Amino acid sequence: MIHVLDGGLSTTVQDDGRFGHYHIGMPPSGAMDQYSHAVANYLVGNDTGHATLEMTYKGCDLRFEEDTVIALAGATMAGELAGEPVPMWESVDVSAGDELSMQFATEGARTYLAVAGGVDVAPVMGSRSTYTLVGIGGHEGRPLEEGDTLAVGDADTGGLAGRRAPRNAIPSYDDSEPIRVVLGLCDYRLTDESREELCSEPWTVDADADRVGYRLNGVDIEFEPREQPFGAGTDPSNVVDLGYPVGSIQVSTLPIVLMRDAVTGGGYATVGTVVSSDRNLLGQRRTHEEVYFESVTVDEALDARQEEQALLEEVRESFA
C-alpha cells in the first residue's frame, strides 16, 4: 500500500493505454511518454502494461507501507527517499515506512514512478489509465491528492534493486531536436507558404499544453480560398467531420497537436501527424520551449518506430 502525502502539481495513474474504443470517442489516454513509462517498468521487473505514476512538472510525496522496489524515468526530477537522494533511471529498494519526496522537474516535463508489481487500481475498459476529462480510470478518475491510498500488485522483488538503464537508452530532451511529422490528411487546405512554414518556422509551447493537446505559438497559418463544402463549418479551417489520428496537428490559425486524451474526431483540418516515437519527446517539452517540425515519409516514420522498439527490447533484455 502507498499513502499519498502530497499529490504534487498533477500526478495520475497511467499505463500503456486504453485501446479498441476510439470509434466511440474514447481516446487511448495512457502515459504521455510511453518510452520512459516502459523503461521505468522494466527497471522494476514489470511489463509495459503495468501502471505507473505520471508526475507532471512537480512530483508527489508518498509513504510506502511495504517493502518494495521503485524506479524513476523520464524528466529529470530530484527526489529523496528516507532522506537520501534517489537516482534517475535506476531501481532502488524501499523499506516499509520510507517516505519519498519529489521536487520540480528540471529537464523535461513528466517523470514516471514505477513500483514492482505496478500500481493496482481497478481497470476501466481494459486500462488503468486516468482519463480526467470524463473522470474514469486511475484513482477515482482524477489526479492524486493528499490522503489517497494506492494498492500495489504482487511481485517478487528479489534481485531487482540496482538495475540501471544503459546510457544509450537515456533520451535527451533538448528542444533543438526536430519533431518528425507525416503531412496530411488535410494539408491541401494550407497555402503553399503556410505548408512550408509549418516545417521551417520555430514554434513555442503555449501555457495551454496538457494531456489533451499541445497548443503552439508561431506564425499565423493561412488557408487556400474555397467554397464552403456541404457539412463543413464557415471558418476556413473547417472541413467535413473526420477522425483525428492520435498526434495529429489540428489548425485554426495556430497548430494544436492532439495528445493522448484528445477528442477523436471533428471538423477542423488536421494537416499532419507527429510520428509515434516523437510524441514521447513532445510530451516532455515544457511551456515556452521550442518545437521544430520535420516532414518525413510514412516509411521513415515506421523505421523510427522500429528503432525505438528495438532499443526498448535491448533495455528489457539487458535485465533478463
mmCIF file of all heavy atoms in Angstrom, residues 288-314:
data_model
loop_
_atom_site.group_PDB
_atom_site.id
_atom_site.type_symbol
_atom_site.label_atom_id
_atom_site.label_comp_id
_atom_site.label_asym_id
_atom_site.label_seq_id
_atom_site.Cartn_x
_atom_site.Cartn_y
_atom_site.Cartn_z
ATOM 1 N N HIS A 288 6.887 27.201 -23.181
ATOM 2 C CA HIS A 288 7.811 28.189 -23.758
ATOM 3 C C HIS A 288 9.033 27.545 -24.421
ATOM 4 O O HIS A 288 9.863 28.268 -24.986
ATOM 5 C CB HIS A 288 8.285 29.223 -22.719
ATOM 6 C CG HIS A 288 7.161 29.952 -22.031
ATOM 7 N ND1 HIS A 288 6.099 30.500 -22.721
ATOM 8 C CD2 HIS A 288 6.919 30.193 -20.719
ATOM 9 C CE1 HIS A 288 5.263 31.062 -21.867
ATOM 10 N NE2 HIS A 288 5.721 30.875 -20.641
ATOM 11 N N GLU A 289 9.174 26.228 -24.380
ATOM 12 C CA GLU A 289 10.262 25.603 -25.135
ATOM 13 C C GLU A 289 9.881 25.562 -26.610
ATOM 14 O O GLU A 289 8.709 25.671 -26.981
ATOM 15 C CB GLU A 289 10.557 24.189 -24.605
ATOM 16 C CG GLU A 289 11.295 24.205 -23.275
ATOM 17 C CD GLU A 289 11.836 22.845 -22.889
ATOM 18 O OE1 GLU A 289 11.285 21.814 -23.347
ATOM 19 O OE2 GLU A 289 12.803 22.799 -22.120
ATOM 20 N N GLU A 290 10.906 25.390 -27.464
ATOM 21 C CA GLU A 290 10.674 25.437 -28.898
ATOM 22 C C GLU A 290 10.361 24.055 -29.473
ATOM 23 O O GLU A 290 10.750 23.016 -28.906
ATOM 24 C CB GLU A 290 11.900 26.026 -29.604
ATOM 25 C CG GLU A 290 12.100 27.505 -29.286
ATOM 26 C CD GLU A 290 13.156 28.145 -30.143
ATOM 27 O OE1 GLU A 290 14.197 27.496 -30.382
ATOM 28 O OE2 GLU A 290 12.945 29.303 -30.570
ATOM 29 N N VAL A 291 9.648 24.082 -30.584
ATOM 30 C CA VAL A 291 9.331 22.874 -31.342
ATOM 31 C C VAL A 291 9.621 23.161 -32.808
ATOM 32 O O VAL A 291 9.162 24.176 -33.348
ATOM 33 C CB VAL A 291 7.852 22.474 -31.186
ATOM 34 C CG1 VAL A 291 7.508 21.308 -32.114
ATOM 35 C CG2 VAL A 291 7.536 22.118 -29.743
ATOM 36 N N TYR A 292 10.415 22.293 -33.439
ATOM 37 C CA TYR A 292 10.670 22.367 -34.875
ATOM 38 C C TYR A 292 10.129 21.089 -35.499
ATOM 39 O O TYR A 292 10.490 19.983 -35.073
ATOM 40 C CB TYR A 292 12.175 22.467 -35.161
ATOM 41 C CG TYR A 292 12.828 23.696 -34.594
ATOM 42 C CD1 TYR A 292 13.322 23.712 -33.290
ATOM 43 C CD2 TYR A 292 12.953 24.843 -35.364
ATOM 44 C CE1 TYR A 292 13.922 24.848 -32.768
ATOM 45 C CE2 TYR A 292 13.559 25.983 -34.842
ATOM 46 C CZ TYR A 292 14.041 25.968 -33.549
ATOM 47 O OH TYR A 292 14.633 27.097 -33.035
ATOM 48 N N PHE A 293 9.247 21.238 -36.489
ATOM 49 C CA PHE A 293 8.720 20.065 -37.172
ATOM 50 C C PHE A 293 9.607 19.714 -38.364
ATOM 51 O O PHE A 293 10.124 20.599 -39.058
ATOM 52 C CB PHE A 293 7.296 20.325 -37.671
ATOM 53 C CG PHE A 293 6.270 20.415 -36.566
ATOM 54 C CD1 PHE A 293 5.428 21.519 -36.472
ATOM 55 C CD2 PHE A 293 6.137 19.392 -35.632
ATOM 56 C CE1 PHE A 293 4.481 21.608 -35.469
ATOM 57 C CE2 PHE A 293 5.187 19.478 -34.616
ATOM 58 C CZ PHE A 293 4.363 20.587 -34.538
ATOM 59 N N GLU A 294 9.758 18.407 -38.599
ATOM 60 C CA GLU A 294 10.488 17.913 -39.768
ATOM 61 C C GLU A 294 9.586 16.935 -40.510
ATOM 62 O O GLU A 294 9.106 15.958 -39.913
ATOM 63 C CB GLU A 294 11.778 17.201 -39.332
ATOM 64 C CG GLU A 294 12.552 16.576 -40.489
ATOM 65 C CD GLU A 294 13.751 15.772 -40.002
ATOM 66 O OE1 GLU A 294 14.100 15.868 -38.798
ATOM 67 O OE2 GLU A 294 14.322 15.043 -40.819
ATOM 68 N N SER A 295 9.357 17.188 -41.783
ATOM 69 C CA SER A 295 8.488 16.314 -42.575
ATOM 70 C C SER A 295 9.226 15.034 -42.943
ATOM 71 O O SER A 295 10.364 15.073 -43.433
ATOM 72 C CB SER A 295 8.051 17.046 -43.854
ATOM 73 O OG SER A 295 7.321 16.175 -44.684
ATOM 74 N N VAL A 296 8.570 13.887 -42.697
ATOM 75 C CA VAL A 296 9.141 12.588 -43.079
ATOM 76 C C VAL A 296 8.070 11.780 -43.795
ATOM 77 O O VAL A 296 6.879 12.107 -43.747
ATOM 78 C CB VAL A 296 9.651 11.794 -41.839
ATOM 79 C CG1 VAL A 296 10.768 12.534 -41.149
ATOM 80 C CG2 VAL A 296 8.511 11.498 -40.870
ATOM 81 N N THR A 297 8.496 10.711 -44.459
ATOM 82 C CA THR A 297 7.555 9.827 -45.152
ATOM 83 C C THR A 297 6.985 8.803 -44.166
ATOM 84 O O THR A 297 7.502 8.621 -43.053
ATOM 85 C CB THR A 297 8.253 9.092 -46.296
ATOM 86 O OG1 THR A 297 9.244 8.202 -45.726
ATOM 87 C CG2 THR A 297 8.941 10.071 -47.253
ATOM 88 N N VAL A 298 5.949 8.100 -44.606
ATOM 89 C CA VAL A 298 5.379 7.042 -43.774
ATOM 90 C C VAL A 298 6.425 5.961 -43.505
ATOM 91 O O VAL A 298 6.539 5.456 -42.376
ATOM 92 C CB VAL A 298 4.131 6.439 -44.455
ATOM 93 C CG1 VAL A 298 3.654 5.194 -43.704
ATOM 94 C CG2 VAL A 298 3.006 7.471 -44.521
ATOM 95 N N ASP A 299 7.214 5.613 -44.528
ATOM 96 C CA ASP A 299 8.247 4.590 -44.322
ATOM 97 C C ASP A 299 9.272 5.042 -43.285
ATOM 98 O O ASP A 299 9.721 4.246 -42.446
ATOM 99 C CB ASP A 299 8.957 4.287 -45.655
ATOM 100 C CG ASP A 299 8.103 3.433 -46.578
ATOM 101 O OD1 ASP A 299 7.144 2.793 -46.071
ATOM 102 O OD2 ASP A 299 8.377 3.408 -47.788
ATOM 103 N N GLU A 300 9.647 6.310 -43.322
ATOM 104 C CA GLU A 300 10.603 6.824 -42.329
ATOM 105 C C GLU A 300 9.990 6.823 -40.929
ATOM 106 O O GLU A 300 10.678 6.579 -39.936
ATOM 107 C CB GLU A 300 11.059 8.230 -42.724
ATOM 108 C CG GLU A 300 11.979 8.243 -43.938
ATOM 109 C CD GLU A 300 12.243 9.649 -44.466
ATOM 110 O OE1 GLU A 300 11.337 10.507 -44.357
ATOM 111 O OE2 GLU A 300 13.343 9.869 -44.998
ATOM 112 N N ALA A 301 8.679 7.101 -40.844
ATOM 113 C CA ALA A 301 8.004 7.053 -39.547
ATOM 114 C C ALA A 301 7.984 5.630 -38.998
ATOM 115 O O ALA A 301 8.212 5.405 -37.800
ATOM 116 C CB ALA A 301 6.576 7.579 -39.688
ATOM 117 N N LEU A 302 7.738 4.655 -39.879
ATOM 118 C CA LEU A 302 7.746 3.250 -39.444
ATOM 119 C C LEU A 302 9.144 2.825 -39.007
ATOM 120 O O LEU A 302 9.301 2.082 -38.024
ATOM 121 C CB LEU A 302 7.231 2.354 -40.579
ATOM 122 C CG LEU A 302 5.753 2.530 -40.947
ATOM 123 C CD1 LEU A 302 5.408 1.710 -42.196
ATOM 124 C CD2 LEU A 302 4.852 2.113 -39.784
ATOM 125 N N ASP A 303 10.171 3.302 -39.727
ATOM 126 C CA ASP A 303 11.550 2.987 -39.324
ATOM 127 C C ASP A 303 11.847 3.556 -37.931
ATOM 128 O O ASP A 303 12.500 2.898 -37.102
ATOM 129 C CB ASP A 303 12.550 3.575 -40.336
ATOM 130 C CG ASP A 303 12.546 2.816 -41.660
ATOM 131 O OD1 ASP A 303 12.017 1.691 -41.694
ATOM 132 O OD2 ASP A 303 13.058 3.373 -42.649
ATOM 133 N N ALA A 304 11.378 4.792 -37.670
ATOM 134 C CA ALA A 304 11.620 5.415 -36.362
ATOM 135 C C ALA A 304 10.946 4.606 -35.257
ATOM 136 O O ALA A 304 11.517 4.411 -34.176
ATOM 137 C CB ALA A 304 11.091 6.846 -36.368
ATOM 138 N N ARG A 305 9.748 4.110 -35.526
ATOM 139 C CA ARG A 305 9.062 3.302 -34.521
ATOM 140 C C ARG A 305 9.806 1.993 -34.274
ATOM 141 O O ARG A 305 9.953 1.554 -33.123
ATOM 142 C CB ARG A 305 7.615 3.022 -34.955
ATOM 143 C CG ARG A 305 6.820 2.245 -33.909
ATOM 144 C CD ARG A 305 5.351 2.198 -34.246
ATOM 145 N NE ARG A 305 5.077 1.396 -35.433
ATOM 146 C CZ ARG A 305 3.857 1.203 -35.937
ATOM 147 N NH1 ARG A 305 2.818 1.796 -35.368
ATOM 148 N NH2 ARG A 305 3.676 0.466 -37.002
ATOM 149 N N GLN A 306 10.286 1.360 -35.365
ATOM 150 C CA GLN A 306 11.021 0.098 -35.200
ATOM 151 C C GLN A 306 12.313 0.321 -34.420
ATOM 152 O O GLN A 306 12.705 -0.520 -33.600
ATOM 153 C CB GLN A 306 11.308 -0.511 -36.569
ATOM 154 C CG GLN A 306 10.050 -1.072 -37.243
ATOM 155 C CD GLN A 306 10.320 -1.608 -38.640
ATOM 156 O OE1 GLN A 306 11.400 -1.397 -39.201
ATOM 157 N NE2 GLN A 306 9.347 -2.302 -39.205
ATOM 158 N N GLU A 307 12.983 1.450 -34.671
ATOM 159 C CA GLU A 307 14.224 1.733 -33.935
ATOM 160 C C GLU A 307 13.944 1.892 -32.441
ATOM 161 O O GLU A 307 14.706 1.397 -31.605
ATOM 162 C CB GLU A 307 14.863 3.016 -34.482
ATOM 163 C CG GLU A 307 15.488 2.857 -35.856
ATOM 164 C CD GLU A 307 15.953 4.181 -36.433
ATOM 165 O OE1 GLU A 307 15.946 5.178 -35.688
ATOM 166 O OE2 GLU A 307 16.310 4.199 -37.625
ATOM 167 N N GLU A 308 12.850 2.572 -32.113
ATOM 168 C CA GLU A 308 12.522 2.753 -30.705
ATOM 169 C C GLU A 308 12.158 1.412 -30.058
ATOM 170 O O GLU A 308 12.580 1.113 -28.932
ATOM 171 C CB GLU A 308 11.371 3.736 -30.556
ATOM 172 C CG GLU A 308 11.016 3.992 -29.086
ATOM 173 C CD GLU A 308 9.855 4.957 -28.946
ATOM 174 O OE1 GLU A 308 8.707 4.552 -29.252
ATOM 175 O OE2 GLU A 308 10.086 6.098 -28.533
ATOM 176 N N GLN A 309 11.377 0.594 -30.775
ATOM 177 C CA GLN A 309 11.010 -0.708 -30.221
ATOM 178 C C GLN A 309 12.236 -1.587 -30.029
ATOM 179 O O GLN A 309 12.329 -2.340 -29.043
ATOM 180 C CB GLN A 309 9.989 -1.387 -31.152
ATOM 181 C CG GLN A 309 8.625 -0.701 -31.137
ATOM 182 C CD GLN A 309 7.662 -1.262 -32.165
ATOM 183 O OE1 GLN A 309 8.072 -1.896 -33.150
ATOM 184 N NE2 GLN A 309 6.379 -1.036 -31.953
ATOM 185 N N ALA A 310 13.200 -1.496 -30.962
ATOM 186 C CA ALA A 310 14.429 -2.286 -30.835
ATOM 187 C C ALA A 310 15.235 -1.844 -29.617
ATOM 188 O O ALA A 310 15.807 -2.669 -28.890
ATOM 189 C CB ALA A 310 15.263 -2.147 -32.111
ATOM 190 N N LEU A 311 15.266 -0.533 -29.374
ATOM 191 C CA LEU A 311 16.002 -0.030 -28.209
ATOM 192 C C LEU A 311 15.330 -0.478 -26.912
ATOM 193 O O LEU A 311 16.012 -0.886 -25.957
ATOM 194 C CB LEU A 311 16.074 1.499 -28.270
ATOM 195 C CG LEU A 311 16.853 2.183 -27.145
ATOM 196 C CD1 LEU A 311 18.281 1.661 -27.056
ATOM 197 C CD2 LEU A 311 16.847 3.698 -27.348
ATOM 198 N N LEU A 312 14.001 -0.434 -26.884
ATOM 199 C CA LEU A 312 13.291 -0.906 -25.683
ATOM 200 C C LEU A 312 13.542 -2.394 -25.453
ATOM 201 O O LEU A 312 13.699 -2.833 -24.304
ATOM 202 C CB LEU A 312 11.789 -0.629 -25.817
ATOM 203 C CG LEU A 312 11.344 0.806 -25.543
ATOM 204 C CD1 LEU A 312 9.872 0.984 -25.879
ATOM 205 C CD2 LEU A 312 11.600 1.176 -24.076
ATOM 206 N N GLU A 313 13.575 -3.161 -26.518
ATOM 207 C CA GLU A 313 13.842 -4.595 -26.369
ATOM 208 C C GLU A 313 15.263 -4.816 -25.847
ATOM 209 O O GLU A 313 15.501 -5.704 -25.018
ATOM 210 C CB GLU A 313 13.648 -5.298 -27.713
ATOM 211 C CG GLU A 313 13.839 -6.810 -27.667
ATOM 212 C CD GLU A 313 12.875 -7.521 -26.727
ATOM 213 O OE1 GLU A 313 11.851 -6.923 -26.356
ATOM 214 O OE2 GLU A 313 13.160 -8.686 -26.367
ATOM 215 N N GLU A 314 16.210 -3.981 -26.300
ATOM 216 C CA GLU A 314 17.589 -4.068 -25.803
ATOM 217 C C GLU A 314 17.616 -3.792 -24.298
ATOM 218 O O GLU A 314 18.325 -4.479 -23.545
ATOM 219 C CB GLU A 314 18.457 -3.059 -26.554
ATOM 220 C CG GLU A 314 19.893 -3.002 -26.088
ATOM 221 C CD GLU A 314 20.673 -1.893 -26.784
ATOM 222 O OE1 GLU A 314 20.370 -1.587 -27.961
ATOM 223 O OE2 GLU A 314 21.572 -1.306 -26.153
#
